[in-house]
Structure formats: C-alpha cells, structure tokens
Amino acid sequence: MLLRHTSKEVKEREGLTINPAKTCQPIGAMYAALGIHGCLPHSHGSQGCCSYHRSTLTRHYKEPVMAATSSFTEGASVFGGQANLLAAIETIFSVYDPDIIAVHSTCLSETIGDDLQQITRKAKDDGKVPEGKHVIFASTPSFIGSHITGYANMVTGIATQFAVSTGVKKNQFNIIAGWMEPSDMREIKRLSKELGVKIVLFPDTSDVLDAPQTGKHEFYPKGGTTVAELQSAGDSISSLALGAISAEPAAIALEKSCKVAFETLDMPIGLSATDRFIMALSQVAGVKVPDEITAERGRLVDVMADMEQYLYGKRVALFGDPDQLLPLTEFLLDLNMKPAHIVSGTPGQRFEKQMRQLLDARSPETNFRNGLQADMFLLHQWMKNEPVDLLIGNTYGKYIARDEDVPFIRFGFPILDRIGHSYFPNVGYSGGLRLVEKLLNAVMDRQDRDALEEKFELVM
Amino acid sequence: MEANRIIPDPVQVREELIQKYPAKVAKKRSKSIVINDPETIPEVQANVRTVPGIITQRGCSYAGCKGVVLGPTRDIVNIVHGPIGCSFYAWLTRRNQTKPETLMDANYIPYCFSTDMQEENIVFGGEKKLKIAIQEAYDLFHPKSIAIFSTCPVGLIGDDVHAASREMKEKFGDCNVFGFSCEGYRGVSQSAGHHIANNGVFKHMVGRDNTPSEGKFKLNLLGEYNIGGDAFEIERIFEKVGITLVASFSGNSTVAAIENSHTADLNVILCHRSINYMGDMMETKYGIPWMKVNFVGAESTAKSLRKIGEYFGDEELKARIEAVIAEETPKVKAIIEEILPRTKGKTAMLFVGGSRAHHYQDLFSELGMTTVAAGYEFAHRDDYEGRDVLPKIKVDADSKNIEELKIVADPELYNPRKTEAELEALKEKGLEINGYEGMMKQMTKKSLVVDDLSHYESEKLIEIYKPDIFCAGIKEKYVVQKMGIPLKQLHSYDYGGPYTGFEGAVNFYKDIDRMVNNPVWKLIKAPWETAGNGKGGELAASYVTQ
Ligand code: SF4
Ligand code: SF4
C-alpha cells in the first residue's frame, strides 16, 4: 500500500493539511504571464519558489518554462526587496530582452510588505525600463486562496495594466480564459472563428506551452496575446469571463477601468456549459450559430445516447479546481453518472454555493468540501467509507487509485506523468467527446479486465 | 565518429559568455567561469549570491534541507510549516525510493504534510496552528519522529519552531519532534539547507540509540539519496562483499538506523557537498573517520570497494571484494564493448547539483566521451578545487548566518576507530581519509568550469560547443532539447536508473547510447524545409514507397 497510513475513520482537522488539492498563488501568476507574447514572468522572492514553479510547470507541459527571480537572501528579507527587483529588471532587459516583465510577489515579499506598484514605478522613473517595454505586476500572497487565485490576480493585472479605452469601440469581444490548457485556448479560438466572432483571448498559452520542435529554442515563442491586442481590449464591446474564480476578477476590473461590460460563464467543459458558451457568444455578437457547430454538438449527444448504459450510475470521486469542477460535475450528471465525493482546496463561498445548488438539485447525497483541509486525504477517507467506480483528478490521484484499485482519469493540474492535456482540449463539444471517450475507456477497460470468462463481451 | 573534434578556445568562450551582461554582472560572472588546469587548479568563485534577474538553476535552502537530506527517510512525518506551495512542490518529486520491510512498516514518503498558513497566521503568528498540526499528526499516525520545516515567512514573523517542537516532544514522551530553520532565503542556494539539515539530524537523531550494531565491517553511507534505486544497488553490492550498512544518510533509511549510526566504524561519503558536515561532526564526537567514495561508474565502484577493503585491512574482506569485482565486471565489459563504438569521441556537458557534475564524468569517460565543460549548481570551492582550499575560503555574510555546531569529543562514546599511526599508514597506501580532491583535478586542461551556470550561458555554450549530450535538471531539459540536443536529467534520471554500481553503469551506458544515437534528432526538419518549400513544379509521375 502506498498510502498505508490513511485510515477509514474521518477525524476533523484544524491545523494539518495532508495531500493538498491545491497549491500556491505564484505558480498561477507565472502560468498566466506565459500567455502574453514576449513576456518573461518574474518571481519576486527567494529562488526556491521560482525554481519550484518552473519545475512543476515544466513537468506538466514538457516544455521550456522561462522565468526569472529576485534571488532574495537574508539581507533582502530584512531590508526589503526593492534593490533586488530594480537590479533584476535592469539585468533582465539587457540579457533576456523581453517586451514585458510580469512581476508577481511571493509569501516572502508579501510578508516583508514590498509594494510592487511602487517599486515598478520607481523602475520606470529611474529609466530602467527601455522605451516601448513594459513592467506589470500582481500581488500573489500564497497565504490567501490558491494557485487559482494567483492566476486570477495576474490576469487582472494584465487586464488593468494594458487595456486602454480610446472612446471608440471596436467590433470585437474579449474572452478571458480561466485556468485552462493551451489546447483549450486553441479550441476557444477555433469555435469563435467558426462562429465568425472576432475575439481577443487572454491569456493565451497556445503556441507557447505546446511549441513545436524546430531545432531552435525560441525564448519567446510565437504564441501569447500581444500587447496591441491587450491594449485594444479596453475598446471591446464586451467581455466573456470563463470561470467565476479564475477569470471574473479580470472582467470586473476591465469594466471598472474601461467600462467594458461582462458576463461570467462556466468554463465550457461538457455539453451544457458549452451550450451556454456558444449561446452567449452568438447572442452578444448577434451571429447565428453555424450548422457545423450544431453538428459537432450533435455528434457529442449521439455518443452520449448510444453509450449511456455504460456510464449510468457510475460513482465518481473528483478533486481539482473550482472553475473546472463545476462544469465537469454538471457533465457527469448529464451523463447520468453519480458524483460521489468532491474536494477542492481552493476556497470560495460562491463556488461552494454554486456546487451545492447543483448537487442539491441533482445529487444531494454527494460529499463535497472545499477550502481548508479539503484535501486528498479526506477524499481518500471518504472513498474508503463509500467506494467509487472512478477517480478523476491530477496525477497525485494515482496513489489512491492504485491502493483502492479504482480506474483513474487524469484531469486538472498538474499532470506529471502523461501527455495529451496540452494538445487535446477538454472544452467545447470536441473536448466533451474526448472526455466521454476517456470515461468510457476507463469503465469499459475495467469491465473487460474483471469480467468472468463466460461473461466476456466482444461487442460493447 | 567524431574523435578529433576541435575544442573551442576557452578564453574566447568566456568572453562570449559575459559579453551581453551589464558591466557589474559581467565582472561578477567572469570569476565563476574558469579555464581548468588540473596541475595548478585555478580559483573558482562559488557559493555566492546569484545576480537578481539571472535565470538560475538554483533552488532554496528549504529544498536542500527537506527535499534533499530529510525527505528520503521514510518513517519521519515531515510537516512543512508555511503556506501550501512549498510542501506541495516537494511532494514526491525527488524520486527517493524506499522499501519498507513489511506492509505494516511506516512509510510517509507518499504523503505531503503542511500547516497551510493563512493570512491570520502570518499576522498573528502561526505557532498555535503548528502545534495543533503536530498534535493531529501524532494522533493520526503515532510516528517515531516528526520534523518541522520552516519556509520563508516563518522566520520573518518570528514563529519559534524549535520551542514548539520541544514542547510537543515533552508532551508526547514517545515521539521525537524537532525543527529546522531552513527558510528559503538563508544562504544562497540549496547548500545552506544541507548544512542546516546536517546540524539538525546530528543534534536530534544521531546517538539516541547506543545499542552496539552487529557485523564485522560496519559503515554508514553518507550523501546517497536512493534516487532511482541507487542505494538499492549499493546495498546489493555491500551485502555480497559482506559489509554491514548501519545507516544511510538518507536514501532508503529509517529513524532507528540513523539514531544508531554512531556505532559504525567508517563513514563513506558520496555527495560531499550535501553531507560532509555530518562526516566531520561524527569524526569529532565519536571518532569515526570518513572517506570519499564514488559508486557512480563501474571502475569507480571497484575502486571505492577496494578503498573500503583497505580501510578495514582485512584480507578475507579484500578477497571477497576482488571476487565480487571479478564476478560483476564481465557483464559490464560486454555491454560497454558493444556500445563504445557508438559513443566514443562524443562530448558531454554537465551542469548539475553539488557532486553529480563530478561523479558522472566517470561514466562518460567509460563511454569514451569527453566532458568539455562542467559546473555545479550549488557547490562550494572545495567541491571544485579540493578540500585543501578550505582554510582559504572567505566566510561571507550569507554563510555566516548558518550555524556551525561546536562539536567536542563525547566523554563516553568517543572512540577513535583508527590510531594516528594507522591513519598515517593508510595515507601512505594512497587512502585519503577525511579528504576530497574535488572536480577539477579530474578534468582535462582547458576544459571549462562554470559555477551556477545561467540560462543565457547554457544556450551560448551549446551554440559554441554543440555537445552531443547536456546533463542538467528538469528546468533545462526541454530548453536544450528544443535546440536539438538530448538532455539527461541528473537529478531525476529522467525517471530511470539506478545509475550506481555495476548494474547502474550498464543502465547508464544504455541510456546514453539511446539518447545520443536516437533517430528523432535527425527528424526535426520537415522534408519540404530541406527540399525547398513550394517552389512550384509538376507532380512527378511516380509511385513512392518504402
Ligand atoms: S507557498 Fe510561498 S514560499 Fe512556498 S513556494 Fe509558494 S510562494 Fe514560495
Ligand atoms: S549533487 Fe545532486 S544528489 Fe547531491 S545533494 Fe546535490 S542535488 Fe542532491
């Protein structure tokens, strides 16, 4: 047994988190900043944080993840990190020549009380930021929220520090991506194009974290939302924020700063959430949904109908991030499956309420917890008490899956031991189809493995 | 085969590496880039701060303490006191394999424990939450030991993890609780954390159990973390030759073994950087000499075994060692002979860790490959230039903050395992006791040595030297591979290994052969990119097949 010390008996904990279903803010900020073209993320703190965040993102994407650090030592921790950040900005522009440096704080610089706004302004005043180059920032203390909060904070920083309102509206719409994969962002762009709607998508990590092998390392890969696009976001007709926790704060900020109205949607994972996304986009833009998209949808529903018997009533345990868990849970319910246990380490009352509402209406007996001590240890204990047929979550779930001998589907962040997530989307109807295929494969492979010889089926 | 490849002029290379830096940075970096001469080893600037903004390989003190030294011991509950991230990232990512003897034995390695500090803990202090967490861990698991690791904010807000640990230890009575002040900002890299970990393990664990250990030739294995099963292979060999492994620091180790480790008669050190403090302290307090060995590489393994045999000076042991070497060598030879024609004459670069960039050069030379440039991520001058340089190393402000334990001989347990005369005799036989020659002595003249290599420098080096393989870590892996050059990870072994001992050498030969000769590196260009894309023309009326 890998997790041999996990007991069945659930005891409430107040101090100890075991096997967390979340991580810290800066990694989200780093990920978001990589979705801006020509941007170098910068971690304002000691080296370790930056090293850990780069390593984790690298393991998840199998791609270069470039980011710099203020390399705090004890002196900086006592006297403040201003000198380090100013020196870093100077060095970065002369050695790595980015268009943008996106600075995020860490626990350390937050605890010291470094003011990123003041320091980055000083850098500009001191002439350390070359003409036409930018330094933006986001405050990302990890003792609040989670990696999702950090992502949201950086996306908000991007929105407010670039977008300008010229007073003349442009015939375009902003889509603010919640934390999703490059493949998902690519799919959002494809769907919008299919609909004939001009969008500014940000951040956009496609063509950054799924870069091709060319024999050359592009320090700033082809992808990423450009500064010009970001600036124009202030003149867009409206914004769609995909995810209440990871994307909405940026939409709110943009409404405040540039008066761009917004609507918040679930991330388009699964049938119903994708329906809402397509409806919303077609409505705000006043376009008809093309037949090709209707056909895509039809293909997904077709498979759901044809294979419904295999998924019906299957009990699922899930862990992950709120903006993904909500539509995923809804999709499982649409597939007539049974979400049995759900945890997310990311706090959020609105998420709690929304998930409760969804579950109360369609699956009131589901165990659900988010925030402090809503960890994988608890999830595992729940599974020991009320077993499930399937586990869905990031790579760390494989330890539980193996111990409990439960089929396992990798979904979320981080996925350290498989590829695919950066290339094949989970969003949209095609993403839905991929999810159904994965669910069916997991369940049906298990049936094939466990079936008695006389019950072994050829056709399924 | 490219046997006589022209090696670029290193002086010029150095100029190119620092050209783009601002003047002050260039001046600083130039002292860390030196041209080797094994006869008169030049001074390398090492263990100094990384310039802010430079993309470095380095991590932090916490990573060195919790991640490297304490992480591999399976039956300690390691609670990370801080916000969630630090504990999350160190969760199972170092591949420290461990093998509990029974299904019932404790193994907490697959678990991640954190106090998940919140804003109120930062504002009002987190000690209370820490003590609750320790209590909960105790109630849930009843472990033999609980260790507490401080992350960056903890030192600043003034939480006293040591006092909290002491209080809980007294309260429990049957559980050893101790803390580490290994905040990430201490020192300049992981190295500070190694030192802090050594101090803590020595103070709180070593010497707690005086039961005499059994066995005739008893030693501890220091600085071996069982990544990819390295320690398993060394254990296999020790068992075969009849050496008793009392404790390992800390791959595949247990609390009980470490607590009893002072009953061994020799410490052998693999990773000098991370654990040399322990060797020195055990020598002073208990009279156990230490000896630098290297089990990376088949020849180095044989050599190290012979050194151990010589130390114990027992003819029977020496004979068994020779027998085992004779038994193991032919298998290794057969493989290397098959592979050598495909690897001979190729070049390698190694920029990693605090000892691996040295040790793995042995394996490359067994493969007939030349190391054209190498450097450590967080080593000190002695790891480059040898321990003779120790008295000359200036202690700067960053190192001064790390406690040097004042160790004296234990009034009861001090027992010098060898007399002065015996040590002298061993020295005469070429056995270096309590010494380490460092990396540069082994590297060729005019090879390049770079400490704390930056991303920028690594791209430049690759451009200039075009090595056949580059060795570093996960952050560098895909950058280098995007340049069309295979990168071997020497922290995680690309999830392979073991690479120690005889079996490990074979694994490494095969992996390197596979990597440098993989057809994928020739498939990078699409046919139309080389043939001229879209130049027009008619379809050739032929049927193309393979
Ligand atoms: S939790 Fe804080 S100190 Fe730890 S890795 Fe994250 S930002 Fe760094
Ligand atoms: S050289 Fe490698 S194994 Fe040794 S301490 Fe350093 S990172 Fe660890």
Side-chain angles (χ1 to χ4, degrees):
Chain A
M1 294 290 262
L2 292 160
L3 299 165
R4 57 181 64 186
H5 301 285
T6 306
S7 54
K8 205 165 161 182
E9 186 200 349
V10 178
K11 274 193 208 148
E12 283 300 319
R13 283 170 277 130
E14 283 168 22
L16 190 65
T17 293
I18 312 173
N19 303 346
K22 66 166 176 185
T23 184
C24 69
Q25 284 211 40
I27 197 169
M30 189 180 279
Y31 177 57
L34 289 166
I36 306 306
H37 181 72
C39 179
L40 185 70
H42 181 85
S43 166
H44 185 51
S46 36
Q47 277 151 203
C49 309
C50 184
S51 175
Y52 277 135
H53 304 149
R54 289 181 64 206
S55 299
T56 305
L57 286 166
T58 304
R59 292 182 183 117
H60 179 80
Y61 288 111
K62 320 274 181 239
E63 284 293 316
V65 174
M66 306 315 286
T69 159
S70 291
S71 290
F72 274 40
T73 51
E74 195 144 0
S77 310
V78 176
F79 302 114
Q82 170 164 309
N84 286 52
L85 185 50
L86 291 176
I89 289 172
E90 196 179 348
T91 307
I92 289 170
F93 277 123
S94 58
V95 183
Y96 302 109
D97 194 31
D99 295 334
I100 305 150
I101 301 174
V103 185
H104 61 259
S105 54
T106 58
C107 298
L108 178 56
S109 52
E110 287 290 336
T111 306
I112 299 168
D114 277 355
D115 179 350
L116 293 184
Q117 180 160 20
Q118 174 261 321
I119 303 175
T120 51
R121 190 176 316 124
K122 184 165 166 50
K124 283 170 213 161
D125 294 346
D126 292 358
K128 290 191 191 316
V129 184
E131 214 25 59
K133 307 265 174 175
H134 310 266
V135 179
I136 62 167
F137 66 91
S139 165
T140 50
S142 308
F143 38 79
I144 302 169
S146 74
H147 57 301
I148 299 299
T149 324
Y151 177 92
N153 287 343
M154 182 50 84
V155 180
T156 306
I158 291 164
T160 51
Q161 292 165 72
F162 281 117
V164 280
S165 158
T166 63
V168 185
K169 283 281 174 197
K170 274 201 161 91
N171 188 22
Q172 66 179 24
F173 299 85
N174 300 326
I175 296 188
I176 303 171
W179 185 316
M180 52 175 81
E181 296 294 346
S183 51
D184 297 325
M185 296 176 182
R186 198 183 286 286
E187 179 66 2
I188 298 283
K189 287 193 286 189
R190 188 189 67 85
L191 286 169
S192 308
K193 202 168 162 192
E194 206 60 65
L195 273 159
V197 181
K198 184 163 185 283
I199 61 159
V200 172
L201 174 75
F202 70 90
D204 177 7
T205 55
S206 64
D207 285 322
V208 176
L209 290 168
D210 56 357
Q213 171 63 275
T214 60
K216 187 167 181 278
H217 171 232
E218 300 290 348
F219 198 102
Y220 302 104
K222 174 172 150 242
T225 318
T226 63
V227 170
E229 286 172 312
L230 288 169
Q231 284 167 337
S232 80
D235 289 334
S236 294
I237 294 169
S238 61
S239 303
L240 288 183
L242 304 183
I245 298 191
S246 54
E248 191 187 73
I252 295 174
L254 205 54
E255 185 187 44
K256 257 203 204 132
S257 63
C258 297
K259 306 215 165 20
V260 183
F262 74 94
E263 190 179 334
T264 302
L265 298 168
D266 283 324
M267 237 180 241
I269 293 171
L271 184 77
S272 304
T274 304
D275 283 351
R276 290 194 293 273
F277 170 68
I278 297 291
M279 283 288 280
L281 196 56
S282 80
Q283 271 165 9
V284 292
V287 293
K288 237 187 97 217
V289 178
D291 292 346
E292 184 41 46
I293 290 188
T294 313
E296 270 182 42
R297 180 183 191 278
R299 287 196 284 272
L300 172 58
V301 182
D302 193 54
V303 172
M304 288 167 70
D306 295 347
M307 303 303 276
E308 57 82 29
Q309 72 192 83
Y310 296 101
L311 298 180
Y312 169 73
K314 287 283 182 288
R315 295 169 52 79
V316 189
L318 307 122
F319 63 97
D321 305 329
D323 291 344
Q324 299 184 348
L325 282 179
L326 261 182
L328 181 62
T329 304
E330 186 186 21
F331 191 39
L332 297 179
L333 291 166
D334 286 347
L335 288 162
N336 234 344
M337 299 175 81
K338 188 93 213 143
H341 316 295
I342 305 172
V343 301
S344 172
T346 300
Q349 281 172 4
R350 179 147 138 227
F351 166 57
E352 210 178 312
K353 222 173 106 196
Q354 282 176 316
M355 184 62 100
R356 273 273 156 247
Q357 261 168 12
L358 178 69
L359 293 171
D360 283 348
R362 298 171 71 179
S363 178
E365 62 285 2
T366 302
N367 287 315
F368 164 61
R369 170 109 49 106
N370 76 311
L372 296 180
Q373 275 88 36
D375 49 30
M376 290 171 62
F377 188 76
L378 175 68
L379 183 82
H380 192 178
Q381 291 184 313
W382 281 346
M383 285 170 64
K384 281 186 185 287
N385 287 291
E386 296 168 73
V388 297
D389 302 300
L390 198 61
L391 174 67
I392 302 180
N394 70 35
T395 286
Y396 284 101
K398 77 196 249 183
Y399 288 77
I400 300 178
R402 185 176 143 129
D403 276 0
E404 302 302 325
D405 192 21
V406 172
F408 174 47
I409 294 178
R410 286 163 183 79
F411 183 96
F413 179 85
I415 294 174
L416 308 169
D417 61 339
R418 295 290 189 275
I419 59 120
H421 43 280
S422 49
Y423 304 110
F424 309 108
N426 284 321
V427 302
Y429 300 116
S430 60
L433 203 51
R434 179 172 177 247
L435 280 172
V436 174
E437 187 198 9
K438 280 193 177 182
L439 291 166
L440 284 169
N441 282 347
V443 169
M444 294 165 88
D445 282 350
R446 182 52 57 115
Q447 182 181 328
D448 280 346
R449 194 196 81 174
D450 292 348
L452 297 172
E453 285 191 4
E454 62 277 23
K455 298 279 182 193
F456 195 61
E457 294 294 338
L458 173 71
V459 183
M460 289 166 88
Chain B
M1 208 189 304
E2 305 148 85
N4 290 317
R5 169 193 292 258
I6 301 155
I7 302 290
D9 175 11
V11 181
Q12 231 173 317
V13 174
R14 172 164 59 189
E15 283 315 302
E16 258 187 78
L17 290 189
I18 58 172
Q19 218 173 41
K20 209 173 167 185
Y21 289 134
K24 252 168 67 190
V25 181
K27 194 167 157 225
K28 182 164 187 194
R29 284 304 300 153
S30 71
K31 293 187 206 149
S32 290
I33 306 173
V34 306
I35 294 132
N36 191 39
D37 181 350
E39 299 302 314
T40 39
I41 292 174
E43 176 178 343
V44 189
Q45 173 183 261
N47 193 34
V48 296
R49 296 177 190 181
T50 303
V51 176
I54 286 292
I55 299 181
T56 170
Q57 302 183 324
R58 283 177 170 175
C60 64
S61 158
Y62 156 78
C65 181
K66 194 264 176 184
V68 174
V69 181
L70 270 297
T73 305
R74 64 174 164 264
D75 50 356
I76 305 180
V77 168
N78 288 327
I79 301 178
V80 180
H81 184 38
I84 197 70
C86 314
S87 192
F88 181 86
Y89 304 114
W91 183 13
L92 283 166
T93 44
R94 278 189 56 80
R95 298 191 71 230
N96 305 113
Q97 298 184 358
T98 199
K99 203 169 171 190
E101 269 153 39
T102 72
L103 263 177
M104 306 307 292
D105 283 345
N107 177 16
Y108 301 103
I109 289 183
Y111 289 87
C112 169
F113 304 100
S114 168
T115 54
D116 189 9
M117 282 176 111
Q118 298 298 299
E119 194 167 21
E120 78 233 34
N121 309 128
I122 299 286
V123 177
F124 302 111
E127 254 176 73
K128 204 172 135 215
K129 189 171 193 186
L130 173 62
K131 282 188 251 173
I132 295 172
I134 297 173
Q135 182 71 51
E136 287 170 352
Y138 179 79
D139 293 342
L140 275 168
F141 308 114
H142 294 284
K144 283 195 201 111
S145 289
I146 297 176
I148 312 301
F149 301 88
S150 309
T151 66
C152 286
V154 169
L156 288 180
I157 61 172
D159 276 4
D160 188 342
V161 300
H162 307 285
S165 301
R166 265 195 310 274
E167 185 188 321
M168 299 310 277
K169 179 181 171 176
E170 270 159 37
K171 184 175 174 194
F172 300 147
D174 62 350
C175 174
N176 189 12
V177 189
F178 46 94
F180 294 88
S181 291
C182 54
E183 288 87 350
Y185 55 74
R186 293 198 194 275
V188 300
S189 70
Q190 289 94 314
S191 168
H194 301 149
H195 195 164
I196 293 163
N198 276 241
N199 290 349
V201 170
F202 190 76
K203 257 199 297 202
H204 300 293
M205 297 179 74
V206 174
R208 277 170 60 94
D209 172 12
N210 292 329
T211 318
S213 50
E214 281 171 30
K216 206 163 159 198
F217 312 110
K218 299 177 294 190
L219 54 70
N220 300 314
L221 186 58
L222 269 56
E224 161 44 57
Y225 303 108
N226 204 22
I227 291 168
D230 279 352
F232 294 150
E233 166 67 358
I234 299 172
E235 286 170 15
R236 179 186 77 85
I237 297 171
F238 280 177
E239 211 180 296
K240 244 174 133 174
V241 299
I243 290 169
T244 306
L245 179 61
V246 180
S248 152
F249 292 71
S250 52
N252 195 32
S253 68
T254 59
V255 170
I258 292 176
E259 290 180 345
N260 187 235
S261 60
H262 59 300
T263 62
D265 295 322
L266 171 67
N267 283 327
V268 293
I269 293 190
L270 274 85
C271 178
H272 172 261
R273 181 67 269 132
S274 62
I275 207 87
N276 73 87
Y277 320 94
M278 183 64 71
D280 280 344
M281 292 189 288
M282 283 176 83
E283 149 95 292
T284 312
K285 186 163 178 182
Y286 302 108
I288 309 172
W290 65 263
M291 192 163 72
K292 179 79 184 73
V293 293
N294 177 20
F295 288 108
V296 179
E299 284 163 32
S300 324
T301 301
K303 212 167 115 193
S304 296
L305 288 172
R306 289 188 176 117
K307 272 164 75 173
I308 295 171
E310 206 56 67
Y311 171 86
F312 285 110
D314 180 275
E315 291 312 318
E316 219 179 290
L317 174 67
K318 284 201 228 170
R320 259 200 318 270
I321 286 172
E322 289 310 323
V324 169
I325 294 172
E327 186 194 329
E328 301 272 341
T329 308
K331 283 182 280 180
V332 181
K333 277 258 152 57
I335 307 269
I336 193 69
E337 266 160 32
E338 199 258 316
I339 287 174
L340 195 66
R342 293 191 297 273
T343 51
K344 199 171 166 197
K346 293 197 187 292
T347 55
M349 287 186 176
L350 298 89
F351 289 97
V352 64
S355 72
R356 288 173 194 252
H358 176 194
H359 291 154
Y360 277 78
Q361 294 187 25
D362 293 3
L363 275 169
F364 280 114
S365 69
E366 287 171 13
L367 282 160
M369 295 174 67
T370 313
T371 302
V372 288
Y376 298 121
E377 183 181 340
F378 45 69
H380 300 195
R381 277 182 63 194
D382 39 322
D383 305 296
Y384 287 103
E385 303 168 48
R387 274 177 80 97
D388 291 347
V389 82
L390 276 174
K392 285 190 260 170
I393 297 180
K394 282 199 299 278
V395 182
D396 63 8
D398 297 315
S399 309
K400 231 184 261 159
N401 296 330
I402 301 153
E403 192 188 5
E404 282 283 350
L405 294 186
K406 300 271 171 292
I407 307 294
V408 291
D410 189 289
E412 275 144 47
L413 298 172
Y414 181 77
N415 162 30
R417 305 312 201 258
K418 297 272 175 194
T419 63
E420 285 297 327
E422 283 170 329
L423 286 175
E424 224 16 76
L426 286 174
K427 212 172 189 177
E428 242 146 65
K429 284 190 189 152
L431 222 60
E432 215 189 344
I433 301 294
N434 306 352
Y436 174 43
E437 285 193 324
M439 168 207 276
M440 290 162 87
K441 186 130 199 165
Q442 201 185 331
M443 286 181 71
T444 55
K445 201 174 162 126
K446 291 211 167 163
S447 53
L448 203 64
V449 173
V450 187
D451 182 62
D452 186 21
L453 184 82
S454 75
H455 162 79
Y456 174 75
E457 290 154 8
S458 69
E459 288 215 3
K460 275 272 151 210
L461 281 184
I462 290 172
E463 240 173 73
I464 299 168
Y465 285 88
K466 300 193 175 41
D468 295 295
I469 195 159
F470 196 95
C471 300
I474 183 69
K475 299 192 290 293
E476 296 77 36
K477 169 101 184 166
Y478 304 102
V479 179
V480 173
Q481 299 214 149
K482 277 279 192 285
M483 300 172 84
I485 293 186
L487 185 141
K488 181 76 211 162
Q489 291 188 65
L490 284 189
H491 288 292
S492 74
Y493 302 171
D494 295 317
Y495 326 107
Y499 289 149
T500 51
F502 301 104
E503 287 184 3
V506 168
N507 291 337
F508 194 77
Y509 302 153
K510 288 182 179 168
D511 283 352
I512 297 303
D513 176 33
R514 186 199 75 227
M515 291 177 83
V516 298
N517 294 309
N518 197 303
V520 73
W521 305 114
K522 299 204 172 74
L523 298 173
I524 291 173
K525 287 279 168 250
W528 51 89
E529 286 178 303
T530 39
N533 193 7
K535 292 250 172 71
E538 277 146 37
L539 283 179
S542 64
Y543 177 56
V544 186
T545 182
Q546 284 298 324

